[in-house]
Amino acid sequence: MNSTATASKPIEANNLKVIKDEIGYELLMNKKFRKYADCCNDSQLKSLCTEASNVHRENFNSLKTYLDSHQ
């Protein structure tokens, strides 16, 4: 089976729900860590929160791209 056939294969309903839940979780965590970074006075803590925010944004983008490729 080639990769194009795999990319267009529909996602099962239970898996779709899990992916949508994870997308929401990653979006929320991105926003929270960004807010925490804005509130930090300590530069190391601010950097750590910014890094965590970026990781969750990347996770969100990856999940969204995966979801979009199956619709």
Side-chain angles (χ1 to χ4, degrees):
M1 187 178 275
N2 65 35
S3 62
T4 354
T6 306
S8 62
K9 183 179 177 185
I11 300 172
E12 293 180 18
N14 58 337
N15 292 335
L16 183 60
K17 181 184 178 334
V18 170
I19 292 170
K20 286 183 176 182
D21 288 347
E22 284 299 313
I23 286 174
Y25 167 76
E26 293 297 341
L27 181 62
L28 178 63
M29 294 307 293
N30 169 259
K31 288 179 180 180
K32 282 187 174 190
F33 277 112
R34 193 172 13 156
K35 181 69 175 171
Y36 297 156
D38 290 344
C39 295
C40 289
N41 294 323
D42 180 274
S43 62
Q44 288 180 323
L45 189 54
K46 184 179 194 84
S47 177
L48 187 61
C49 289
T50 300
E51 185 178 323
S53 174
N54 291 339
V55 166
H56 287 289
R57 184 183 68 237
E58 289 171 12
N59 292 345
F60 170 87
N61 289 337
S62 295
L63 286 166
K64 180 87 170 69
T65 299
Y66 177 80
L67 185 62
D68 289 346
S69 75
H70 285 78
Q71 293 185 357

